[in-house]
Amino acid sequence: MKMIWLKYRHFTPRDWSRLFPVTAVLTGLLAISGCAGNTNVQTGIISPTDYITASPSATATATATATATPMQSAASGSDTFESKLANMTLEEKIGQMLLVGIDGTTLDAQAKRMIAEDKIGGIILYKDNISNLKGMVSLINDLKKSNAENPVPLFMSVDQEGGKVSRMPDEYATIPSNGSVGAADNSGAAGTMGKLLARELLSAGFNMDFAPVLDINSNPDNPVIGDRSFGNTADLVSRLGIAEMKGIASEGVVPVVKHFPGHGDTSVDSHLELPVVNKTAAQLAKLEWQPFEAAIQENADAVMVAHILFPELDSDKPASLSRSIIGKLLREEMGFQGVVITDDLTMGAITEHYTLAAAAVDTVQAGSDILLVAHEYGNEQAVRKALLASVQSGTIKESRIDESVYRILALKDKYRLTDQPTAVPDLRKLNQDITSWRSSLTK
């Protein structure tokens, strides 16, 4: 019991609630929540025998109390995501686990079908989807409007890092790379960067950013990271990355830290082929893992997992499909209980070695919550059908799906996401603030 306490001594009631499926409730947790969260070391240790099966109403009350944050009330928690999950069909649950890309700069028939029929949980837009400010806002509003009949709002996501990975149109002032901010070694500047990135996204109607990058730029031959990283030390990347993460979240945008367990020491582009990193767990713990562990300690909401093979950790499957890396390392050993998102499953690192159907089943069994399928309607259909078939055949238990959907709904509720339309913004003040901040980096 002492070892269990040492491992989980930093957990809050919210963290404890996320450790277990939605159908289990901790009787001791009800007592904790009833005394304003004041727990002493002697009585705060909780064992599996403290768990009982409860009625849906009791489950909702306990979980809502445990997960309440300044952004949501306990009543909100019990009235929304808990009851929504209880009333969802299997098809609707699996839809929430899909975050997909679309074609073109306007809403087409396939996008409408994925939203209306497949009940997808989110959309990612790329540069090819964005022509100009007015067109981008119009597309996002149309996507949200198409979701009006669904009870759960969409994640509207984008890769907006700054530097070379910037999706916003030319009307926005440019935000420099993480490497430029890292050179200034100023956590305050990194926090402001996060706020500015979030303000950009909110102005257009986005609510999720695949940032910050927590990879350490330790390999000069790396073809995909480079100045997307804050630098080449764990301390610098941890401090500035967490500052950016908090800046993004403080404005009401969901930050997704990436690319766990670390993409910095690769020499192959995972968009094209599967990278292999031959490092031991001890070596990774001294460098690559440190920013992610620090982010988890600072209550990171979501983590993106990379398509990289780490033979010393799992000789068979890349991180994004590995139970050893997601389920054991990230969830159990590091204690992350938030939302796990795969990198794009249509990247060459996956498609050159697996069918999408097999990869989809593997990653859910490994512990992923959201499957990113960035390209082609047929790929979304293949992933969706594979997950449905796997549950219907018993390969994946529906309770496993419930765990993921619970995390997804709780995250959407925490950030109070809606499908309300956004007006075309006046960017003058935002652009002035970006320009002023950018100038301060060189002083």
Side-chain angles (χ1 to χ4, degrees):
M1 288 298 291
K2 182 178 180 181
M3 291 303 295
I4 294 173
W5 168 246
L6 288 174
K7 182 174 180 182
Y8 297 113
R9 64 191 183 280
H10 61 282
F11 273 32
T12 65
R14 175 188 175 198
D15 297 323
W16 282 111
S17 73
R18 285 174 164 177
L19 276 172
F20 300 90
V22 67
T23 54
V25 172
L26 176 60
T27 54
L29 184 57
L30 292 172
I32 292 171
S33 63
C35 59
N38 295 323
T39 310
N40 61 46
V41 173
Q42 300 302 317
T43 60
I45 301 174
I46 303 165
S47 71
T49 57
D50 294 319
Y51 283 80
I52 59 171
T53 301
S55 66
S57 59
T59 305
T61 302
T63 307
T65 303
T67 60
T69 72
M71 300 187 72
Q72 70 180 43
S73 67
S76 170
S78 64
D79 290 343
T80 54
F81 62 85
E82 191 70 36
S83 58
K84 285 177 182 175
L85 176 58
N87 291 316
M88 278 182 166
T89 65
L90 175 61
E91 289 78 6
E92 289 170 333
K93 294 174 188 177
I94 286 176
Q96 282 299 304
M97 297 175 69
L98 303 180
L99 198 154
V100 307
I102 63 172
D103 293 327
T105 58
T106 59
L107 182 66
D108 65 8
Q110 291 179 342
K112 288 181 180 179
R113 283 199 294 273
M114 288 190 291
I115 294 171
E117 298 174 13
D118 299 347
K119 314 292 186 183
I120 56 171
I123 301 283
I124 183 170
L125 296 187
Y126 288 98
K127 201 72 172 178
D128 290 346
N129 301 122
I130 298 170
S131 54
N132 54 49
L133 175 62
K134 186 176 180 180
M136 175 177 64
V137 173
S138 177
L139 174 58
I140 292 172
N141 284 341
D142 286 345
L143 289 164
K144 290 180 175 180
K145 185 177 180 180
S146 295
N147 196 57
E149 298 301 315
N150 296 330
V152 183
L154 291 168
F155 282 127
M156 284 303 312
S157 68
V158 68
D159 289 295
Q160 183 64 5
E161 301 172 11
K164 63 186 177 183
V165 182
S166 294
R167 312 299 191 200
M168 306 306 277
D170 293 339
E171 288 91 339
Y172 289 84
T174 59
I175 291 181
S177 67
N178 286 339
S180 297
V181 180
D185 193 2
N186 185 324
S187 297
T192 301
M193 178 187 189
K195 289 177 178 289
L196 293 170
L197 288 168
R199 286 173 59 191
E200 283 188 324
L201 300 194
L202 288 173
S203 72
F206 291 106
N207 53 38
M208 173 179 275
D209 192 6
F210 290 111
V213 172
L214 295 186
D215 303 306
I216 300 169
N217 189 30
S218 58
N219 185 344
D221 295 326
N222 193 316
V224 292
I225 300 300
D227 66 0
R228 295 173 66 191
S229 169
F230 283 108
N232 58 12
T233 69
D235 174 69
L236 180 65
V237 172
S238 298
R239 285 188 291 105
L240 272 60
I242 289 171
E244 182 187 331
M245 178 186 79
K246 289 183 175 181
I248 294 170
S250 70
E251 296 292 322
V253 170
V254 182
V256 181
V257 300
K258 62 185 185 184
H259 306 81
F260 183 82
H263 214 310
D265 195 19
T266 56
S267 56
V268 172
D269 186 345
S270 55
H271 292 88
L272 306 175
E273 187 45 271
L274 179 63
V276 179
V277 175
N278 288 298
K279 283 188 172 183
T280 65
Q283 290 172 317
L284 292 163
K286 290 179 180 179
L287 189 67
E288 280 86 353
W289 294 352
Q290 290 188 23
F292 294 99
E293 290 183 296
I296 291 167
Q297 291 294 321
E298 294 294 336
N299 299 313
D301 287 300
V303 173
M304 174 178 278
V305 182
H307 306 314
I308 303 171
L309 185 68
F310 293 85
E312 295 293 329
L313 306 180
D314 188 329
S315 60
D316 183 41
K317 294 176 181 176
S320 55
L321 310 184
S322 171
R323 190 193 303 265
S324 296
I325 293 175
I326 298 175
K328 184 178 179 182
L329 174 63
L330 180 60
R331 292 258 188 234
E332 294 179 16
E333 296 182 16
M334 293 187 178
F336 179 66
Q337 301 302 324
V339 171
V340 173
I341 304 176
T342 70
D343 209 340
D344 175 21
L345 291 174
T346 67
M347 290 164 61
I350 297 299
T351 59
E352 292 296 314
H353 302 274
Y354 302 89
T355 66
L356 274 177
V361 173
D362 281 350
T363 195
V364 171
Q365 290 178 320
S368 293
D369 301 308
I370 294 178
L371 286 63
L372 177 57
V373 185
H375 303 285
E376 297 185 19
Y377 175 65
N379 289 332
E380 180 268 347
Q381 289 285 288
V383 168
R384 178 176 178 273
K385 290 176 182 177
L387 294 183
L388 279 170
S390 70
V391 177
Q392 291 163 350
S393 69
T395 302
I396 297 176
K397 293 182 179 179
E398 189 166 356
S399 60
R400 168 66 194 87
I401 301 297
D402 288 346
E403 292 174 15
S404 286
V405 178
Y406 180 83
R407 293 186 188 106
I408 293 164
L409 298 184
L411 182 58
K412 289 183 175 184
D413 190 80
K414 175 183 174 181
Y415 280 83
R416 293 187 175 178
L417 302 194
T418 74
D419 287 324
Q420 292 297 312
T422 301
V424 177
D426 181 341
L427 298 177
R428 285 175 293 183
K429 179 62 168 65
L430 174 57
N431 285 340
Q432 287 172 1
D433 291 346
I434 293 173
T435 302
S436 175
W437 166 79
R438 197 172 57 208
S439 298
S440 73
L441 295 176
T442 59
K443 294 179 181 179

